[in-house]
């Protein structure tokens, strides 16, 4: 008997769906896309309406053959890939590549993998939505045009193997501009004044803060002097109730942001874990910009809240999606079963599910009710007031379950809690007044989460593109996720106590950054080049408008080829014009000064393996230029002449050991010492400029110990052959080639003959794998 064939894009999803369908169904996986543009070719026919030239990759041919056979035998084929544009495109490619007849092919969609959702989808099949396919195809083709036309220009003018992309280049621009804001920021000092007042009971202290910042230490000293004999009065007490409302349920971007803040997950890590939860049937579809909740979810949330916390904790809320382009799924990310507060699974799965569950419950709970009390203390003849603010939680509401985090939580000052009882016109005594020097804060560098938020605010990208974009710019080394050490700063404190003013100075670390996105020199140079020659492509509004056009294509309001044609007609001439430009200097090259010894100019630029310094211009009549690599932490944007010249003090002789010279230097992989033809890395605690002979010998000895521990067995008869320890166990090495030791053999007991036999057998096996080349017949 023929069965119905269901095709999904992942094996995990197939496994879950199989549980809900009976014996009349077969569920198979396409393992993602089965067709794509050729990897190393343009594959877009510009002259024939931008027709994409799709191919089935070699690794997918066997799978496609198996799916063809299964679909030919099936009574009906149901394409059940995800319900977004990417999923619609996968369904269309399957239909085309497998040659599925329309009369026996249906498309089914669902935003959660539960029995009810799957059975409901089976009763409402539809045709493939070609508008969604066109929207995905337009994005794919446009990105291919940008990548293939701009990348070769970058290879010639900046550095080989670089690439450009429409959305990722704009993301890099955001990071470069923020980094320059940070570098150019000049901090300004001001003074913050706090005072502790002794209340009428003679015991209780009330902490307050002046409601005005003072410009500098001199103004602060004058203010404190004027307060020495002043009499203070409580001139206002106000109490106001206020409410806090819960955040809406998660969209893709808010989940990525909150998982980063609360769980420390990277954006891509969040999506990997969310994908697992979705495919296991625990949450709804994870690529969405909708905050809508289904009636079923609203009903089960109410039941959960009233049963667990009581009726007073429940409040019905219907959230509306603000973004016009909410084209992905039609519901927020939520648990599929609100009666399941915990799940079985890995630690990361449990943590992310807990976050989603609590956020969903909280969004249907009552407001938190608080009371804010403000006490104002003044003195005759002064406009300034000392203010104390306290908040009291009257009813916790949704806070009983969940509180949303923000990027600047760590920087927020904690407000007072419950304030002590105070009466109007009371005259408290001044116990102590302190003026502390503070400084304006530079703009914060982006984290992955805050970059996602900014991209969303600008309308750049969609839920399915945030994680890949951020991963791509890191993979291409335009950006790194890293730390900045900060620097020590001195600040002053003036204290008024018992009528006397005392001054003190303290130090603090400022500018320390952890886990932030930092543009690399290559990222900065590529960004500047694209900004100069392709300003339209790098424009935030242009990129956002392209996304709106994709939305219009998905709605059937715009023909996809017309949108591409409009873009190509202004983009391609810019490519041709830029390609023809000849520059005197390499893109990104900067002259930092003149070498005092040779009188030659000193440059920094991007070399084949990264940022380098150069003395000399390469004039045939002058000595050859000298080159040196920049070290980690240095940038071609900010490096000084002194720092650049210091690079040329390397390589330098450190001393002699065992009759051979030790040389310190910096190479592609960082600082090193070279001894007897071998390179040994210099750890971060030491510098190649200052390492001494004793420290170098210590590194050499440690290296010798490690190498000795690595050797399992050597043979005097054949020194080239050794048995060594590796990450995955012992292996044989011979003439720069490694050979696996078969299971069951004890490495230390192998003889020279046994090792040679293993090498011969391995060589014989490899020669059999190689197919003989057929000679051409004339």
């Amino acid at each position: 008997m023929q069965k119905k064939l269901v095709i999904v894009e992942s094996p995990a999803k197939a496994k879950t769906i199989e549980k809900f369908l009976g014996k009349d169904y077969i569920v198979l996986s396409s393992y993602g896309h089965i067709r794509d543009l050729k990897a190393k070719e343009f594959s877009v026919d510009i002259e024939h309406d931008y027709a994409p030239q799709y191919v089935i990759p070699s690794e997918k041919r066997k799978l496609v053959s198996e799916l063809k056979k299964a679909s030919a035998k099936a009574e009906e084929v149901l394409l059940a890939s995800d319900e977004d544009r990417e999923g619609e495109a996968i369904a269309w490619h399957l239909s085309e590549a497998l040659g599925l007849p329309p009369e026996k092919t249906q498309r089914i969609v669902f935003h959660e993998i539960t029995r009810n959702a799957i059975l409901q989808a089976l009763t409402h099949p539809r045709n493939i939505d070609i508008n969604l396919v066109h929207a995905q195809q337009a994005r794919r083709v446009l990105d291919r045009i940008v990548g293939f036309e701009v990348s070769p220009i970058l290879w010639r003018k900046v550095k080989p193997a670089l690439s450009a992309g429409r959305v990722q280049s704009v993301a890099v621009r955001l990071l470069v501009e923020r980094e320059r804001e940070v570098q150019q920021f000049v901090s300004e000092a001001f003074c913050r004044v706090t005072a502790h007042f002794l209340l009428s009971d003679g015991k209780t202290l009330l902490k307050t803060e002046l409601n005005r910042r003072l410009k500098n230490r001199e103004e602060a000293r004058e203010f404190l002097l004027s307060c020495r004999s002043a009499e203070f009065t409580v001139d206002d007490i106000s109490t106001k109730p206020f409410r806090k409302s819960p955040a809406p349920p998660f969209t893709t971007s808010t989940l990525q942001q909150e998982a980063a803040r609360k769980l420390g997950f990277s954006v891509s890590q969040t999506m990997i874990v969310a994908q697992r939860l979705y495919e296991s049937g625990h949450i709804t579809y994870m690529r969405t910009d909708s905050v809508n909740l289904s009636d079923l979810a609203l009903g089960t949330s109410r039941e959960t809240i009233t049963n667990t916390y009581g009726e007073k904790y429940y409040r019905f809320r219907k959230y509306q999606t603000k973004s016009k382009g909410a084209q992905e799924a039609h519901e927020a990310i939520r648990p599929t079963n609100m009666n399941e507060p915990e799940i079985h699974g890995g630690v990361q799965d449990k943590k992310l599910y807990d976050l989603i569950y609590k956020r969903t419950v909280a969004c249907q709970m009552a407001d938190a009710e608080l009371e804010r009390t403000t006490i104002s203390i003044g003195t005759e003849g002064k406009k300034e007031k000392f203010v104390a603010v306290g908040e009291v939680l009257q009813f916790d509401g949704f806070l009983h379950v969940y509180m949303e985090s923000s990027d600047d939580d760590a920087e927020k000052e904690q407000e007072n809690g419950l304030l002590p009882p105070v009466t109007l016109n009371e005259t408290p005594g001044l116990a102590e007044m302190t003026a502390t020097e503070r400084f304006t804060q530079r703009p914060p560098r982006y984290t992955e989460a805050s970059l996602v938020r900014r991209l969303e605010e600008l309308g750049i990208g969609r839920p399915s593109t945030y994680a890949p974009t951020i991963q791509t710019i890191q993979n291409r080394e335009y950006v790194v996720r890293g730390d900045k050490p900060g620097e020590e700063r001195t600040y002053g404190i003036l204290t008024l106590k018992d009528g006397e003013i005392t001054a003190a100075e303290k130090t603090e670390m400022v500018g320390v950054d952890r886990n932030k996105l930092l543009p690399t020199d290559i990222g900065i140079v590529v960004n500047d080049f694209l900004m100069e020659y392709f300003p339209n492509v790098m424009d935030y509004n242009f990129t956002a408008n392209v996304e709106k056009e994709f939305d219009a294509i998905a709605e059937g309001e715009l023909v996809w080829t017309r949108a591409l044609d409009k873009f190509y007609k202004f983009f391609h001439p810019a490519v041709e014009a830029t390609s023809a430009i000849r520059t005197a200097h390499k893109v990104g090259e900067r002259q930092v000064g003149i070498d005092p010894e040779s009188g030659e100019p000193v440059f920094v630029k991007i070399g084949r393996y990264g940022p380098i310094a150069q003395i000399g211009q390469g004039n045939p009549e002058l000595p050859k230029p000298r080159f040196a690599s920049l070290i980690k932490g240095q940038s071609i944007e900010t490096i000084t002449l002194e720092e650049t010249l210091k690079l040329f003090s390397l390589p330098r002789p450190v001393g002699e050991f065992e009759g051979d010279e030790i040389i310190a230097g910096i190479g592609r992989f960082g600082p090193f010492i070279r001894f007897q033809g071998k390179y040994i890395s210099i750890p971060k605690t030491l510098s190649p400029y200052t390492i001494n002979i004793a420290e170098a010998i210590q590194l050499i000895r440690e290296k010798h110990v490690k190498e000795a521990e690595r050797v399992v067995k050597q043979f005097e008869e054949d020194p080239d052959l050794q048995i060594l320890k590796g990450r995955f166990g012992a292996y044989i090495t011979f003439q720069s080639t490694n050979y696996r030791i078969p299971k069951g053999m004890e490495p230390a007991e192998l003889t020279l003959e046994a090792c040679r036999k293993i090498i011969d057998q391995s060589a014989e096996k490899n020669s059999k794998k190689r197919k003989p080349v057929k000679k051409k017949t004339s």
Side-chain angles (χ1 to χ4, degrees):
M1 177 184 164
Q2 287 184 317
K3 295 186 178 184
K4 293 183 179 181
L5 173 65
V6 179
I7 305 177
V8 297
E9 65 272 74
S10 91
K13 188 174 172 182
K15 193 176 178 183
T16 307
I17 290 173
E18 228 167 9
K19 298 174 189 173
F20 308 132
L21 300 175
K23 59 183 179 180
D24 295 336
Y25 291 87
I26 297 171
V27 185
L28 296 177
S29 169
S30 70
Y31 292 83
H33 277 279
I34 59 162
R35 289 199 316 182
D36 200 358
L37 302 175
K38 294 175 186 176
K40 295 183 180 179
E41 293 179 30
F42 187 42
S43 297
V44 177
D45 189 345
I46 300 291
E47 293 177 3
H48 293 87
D49 256 356
Y50 304 90
Q53 296 165 345
Y54 294 113
V55 292
I56 298 168
S58 56
E59 65 272 14
K60 287 287 180 86
R61 285 173 193 158
K62 185 181 176 186
L63 172 67
V64 170
S65 175
E66 290 168 356
L67 290 174
K68 267 186 179 177
K69 287 175 186 174
S71 61
K73 293 176 186 175
E75 171 195 336
E76 184 180 23
V77 179
L78 299 164
L79 303 172
S81 47
D82 292 338
E83 64 171 329
D84 58 7
R85 295 174 193 170
E86 207 67 34
E88 205 71 21
I90 288 172
W92 178 75
H93 281 296
L94 283 166
S95 174
E96 293 285 308
L98 304 181
L100 300 177
E103 63 274 10
K104 75 166 199 176
T105 306
Q106 298 272 27
R107 171 89 168 106
I108 60 169
V109 293
F110 37 84
H111 59 264
E112 60 182 67
I113 304 175
T114 58
R115 182 182 297 279
N116 287 342
I118 302 301
L119 296 179
Q120 185 75 12
L122 289 170
T123 60
H124 295 89
R126 61 169 173 81
N127 294 325
I128 290 169
D129 187 335
I130 201 64
N131 291 327
L132 291 181
V133 175
H134 285 162
Q136 187 274 345
Q137 196 162 245
R139 178 190 291 278
R140 187 78 184 91
V141 171
L142 193 147
D143 288 347
R144 174 56 64 99
I145 290 170
V146 172
F148 261 71
E149 296 219 343
V150 177
S151 297
I153 297 175
L154 294 177
W155 302 343
R156 291 196 303 273
K157 298 189 180 292
V158 183
K159 178 179 175 283
L162 294 178
S163 63
R166 183 180 54 85
V167 176
Q168 73 231 25
S169 296
V170 176
V172 173
R173 178 188 169 186
L174 281 168
L175 296 168
V176 171
E177 287 180 344
R178 178 54 56 86
E179 188 62 30
R180 284 182 173 149
E181 285 175 38
V182 170
Q183 297 296 343
Q184 293 164 12
F185 182 77
V186 179
S187 187
E188 294 180 4
F190 65 90
C191 283
R192 178 183 169 208
V193 181
T194 58
H196 286 83
F197 290 99
L198 188 64
L199 300 183
S200 54
D201 63 359
K203 298 176 187 176
T204 309
L205 286 173
L206 175 66
K207 184 184 177 182
T208 64
E209 183 173 341
L210 191 68
N211 63 358
R212 181 171 79 86
R213 290 177 172 182
L214 304 182
K215 291 178 184 176
N216 49 46
R217 293 193 203 187
E218 289 70 31
E219 189 180 1
R221 181 178 286 277
E222 285 176 18
F223 182 82
L224 264 61
L225 281 168
S226 69
C227 290
R228 281 200 299 187
S229 54
E231 187 175 282
F232 295 92
T233 306
V234 176
D235 55 20
D236 187 52
I237 302 171
S238 64
T239 301
K240 292 180 182 177
F242 73 101
R243 292 170 176 264
K244 283 184 179 176
S245 297
F250 282 129
T251 61
T252 302
S253 70
T254 55
L255 177 64
Q256 289 168 343
Q257 292 166 51
E258 195 73 340
R261 292 187 289 244
K262 277 189 158 63
L263 307 177
F265 285 7
S266 69
V267 168
S268 57
Q269 185 181 5
T270 298
M271 294 312 292
I272 289 166
V273 177
Q275 179 101 24
R276 272 204 305 267
L277 291 173
Y278 166 68
E279 291 178 346
S280 302
H282 294 307
I283 64 169
T284 52
Y285 191 54
M286 67 285 157
R287 293 189 188 96
T288 175
D289 34 19
S290 170
V291 290
N292 181 45
L293 289 175
S294 67
D295 291 340
L296 177 64
L298 293 170
T300 53
S301 295
R302 174 175 185 166
E303 193 178 300
T304 299
I305 293 162
T306 53
N307 289 346
T308 309
Y309 307 108
E311 191 69 42
K312 68 176 181 176
Y313 276 91
Y314 172 72
R315 179 182 164 184
F316 174 78
R317 297 175 194 271
K318 189 80 173 173
Y319 294 96
Q320 297 295 323
T321 302
K322 293 178 184 176
S323 61
K324 182 182 179 295
Q327 44 84 8
E328 307 288 350
H330 306 298
E331 196 175 354
I333 302 168
R334 61 164 177 84
T336 55
N337 183 0
M338 293 304 297
N339 296 318
E340 193 177 54
E342 293 180 359
I343 59 163
H344 296 292
V347 174
Q348 291 183 345
D349 296 33
K350 287 180 177 179
K351 283 182 177 179
L352 193 65
Y353 180 83
D354 182 63
L355 199 66
I356 295 166
Y357 182 87
K358 287 177 177 175
R359 175 85 161 220
T360 308
V361 170
C363 81
Q364 293 300 307
M365 291 179 75
D367 288 346
E369 296 173 11
L370 299 95
E371 190 176 75
R372 180 179 288 136
T373 301
T374 305
I375 299 171
S376 173
I377 297 175
T379 185
E380 196 174 334
K382 287 189 184 295
K383 292 179 183 177
E384 295 91 354
K385 305 289 182 185
F386 284 94
V387 179
V389 178
E391 288 182 1
V392 179
L393 186 65
Q394 306 282 7
F395 172 62
D396 57 0
F398 76 94
L399 293 177
H400 192 84
V401 173
Y402 183 87
M403 178 63 184
E404 186 181 28
S405 301
S406 68
D407 288 325
D408 58 352
D409 275 352
E411 296 167 17
K412 285 183 179 176
E413 291 289 335
Q414 289 296 313
E415 291 184 318
N416 296 333
L418 185 64
L419 296 177
V422 178
T423 56
L424 196 63
N425 300 320
E426 183 179 336
T427 54
L430 177 62
E432 184 179 271
M433 188 179 294
T434 304
T436 306
E437 191 176 26
R438 303 314 303 142
F439 300 85
T440 51
Q441 291 187 327
R442 60 168 172 74
R445 290 184 171 96
Y446 285 107
T447 60
E448 286 193 356
S450 61
L451 181 60
V452 166
R453 186 178 65 199
R454 186 66 182 133
L455 289 169
E456 187 179 39
E457 287 169 355
L458 292 169
I460 296 167
R462 286 295 180 261
S464 58
T465 65
Y466 299 137
T469 296
I470 290 173
Q471 194 60 50
T472 297
I473 61 178
Q474 291 179 71
N475 290 347
R476 290 180 175 164
E477 296 182 351
Y478 292 157
V479 172
V480 293
R481 195 169 64 163
D483 305 335
K484 286 282 184 180
E487 56 188 28
E488 202 173 73
R489 180 171 66 193
T490 303
Y491 65 97
I493 300 173
L494 296 172
T495 304
L496 169 62
K497 190 172 184 179
D498 300 328
E500 295 293 324
I501 295 175
T502 56
E505 285 200 342
K506 290 188 176 181
T507 58
E508 61 183 347
M509 287 299 294
V510 293
V512 177
D513 273 322
R514 296 273 181 268
N515 222 20
K516 296 295 177 73
L517 293 176
L518 310 168
T520 63
D521 279 334
I522 294 171
I524 291 169
V525 169
V526 168
N527 173 76
D528 291 351
F529 178 80
L530 295 175
M531 285 294 293
E532 183 175 354
Y533 295 104
F534 299 96
N536 288 338
V537 176
M538 297 293 283
D539 183 75
Y540 298 134
N541 291 329
F542 167 78
T543 310
N545 287 334
V546 169
E547 294 294 344
K548 289 176 184 174
E549 290 190 348
F550 291 153
D551 295 340
I553 293 166
E555 294 294 326
E557 297 166 2
L558 181 64
V559 177
W560 74 278
T561 51
R562 285 183 191 168
L564 284 177
D565 194 53
K566 185 177 79 171
F567 169 80
Y568 192 74
K569 279 178 178 171
F570 85 78
F571 173 72
H572 187 65
V575 171
E576 290 183 322
T578 306
S579 191
I581 290 169
R582 298 288 176 265
T583 54
H585 294 285
K586 196 165 183 181
V587 173
E589 187 172 276
R590 179 172 79 91
Q591 184 173 339
V592 293
I594 301 292
D595 176 26
E597 285 186 16
S598 65
E600 290 281 327
V602 182
F603 302 95
V604 285
K605 61 182 181 180
I606 299 297
R608 187 175 183 83
Y609 301 112
I612 57 169
Q614 173 184 330
I615 296 177
Q617 290 181 301
N619 189 325
E621 297 174 7
L622 296 172
K624 282 186 178 181
R626 289 182 290 148
F627 299 94
S629 297
L630 271 64
I631 60 174
K632 192 175 180 183
Q634 290 181 329
S635 167
I636 61 174
E637 278 231 313
T638 56
I639 192 169
T640 63
L641 175 62
E642 184 184 355
E643 290 167 336
T644 307
L645 292 174
K646 193 177 178 183
L647 296 169
F648 290 92
S649 64
L650 299 175
R652 71 178 183 89
V654 179
E656 284 194 4
F657 177 55
E658 296 179 351
D660 287 301
E661 193 174 35
I662 302 171
I663 301 292
I666 297 172
R668 282 179 62 193
F669 306 108
F672 65 83
I673 56 170
R674 187 174 70 240
F675 177 67
Q676 293 180 344
K678 292 186 177 180
Y679 291 85
I680 301 163
S681 294
I682 295 175
K684 290 180 183 178
T685 51
L686 299 173
S687 165
Y689 300 107
T690 57
I691 189 169
N692 58 41
I693 187 66
E695 291 165 338
I697 290 169
Q698 180 66 23
L699 291 179
I700 291 166
R701 284 177 173 156
E702 287 172 3
K703 178 81 170 176
H704 285 168
V705 169
K706 280 184 183 175
E707 285 183 346
E709 289 173 350
R710 195 166 157 246
V711 176
V712 176
K713 198 168 186 179
Q714 290 176 305
F715 301 96
E716 287 182 15
E717 305 97 301
D718 195 343
D720 285 347
L721 196 152
Q722 290 179 306
I723 302 174
L724 303 177
K725 284 180 188 172
R727 281 177 63 195
F728 307 107
Y731 63 93
I732 297 166
T733 182
F734 178 63
Q735 294 179 347
S736 303
T737 306
N738 299 334
Y739 301 90
R740 189 181 298 163
I741 297 171
K743 285 182 182 178
M745 289 188 172
E746 182 58 48
E749 294 176 6
L750 288 173
T751 63
L752 181 59
E753 289 70 25
C755 290
R756 285 175 174 161
K757 190 176 179 182
I758 291 169
I759 291 168
D760 291 342
Q761 286 173 344
S762 178
E764 194 179 324
K765 201 180 289 182
N766 289 336
S767 67
K768 283 181 181 177
K769 283 181 184 176
R770 294 192 196 101
K771 292 179 181 178
V773 179
K774 290 182 181 178
K775 290 183 180 179
K776 289 183 180 179
T777 55
S778 54

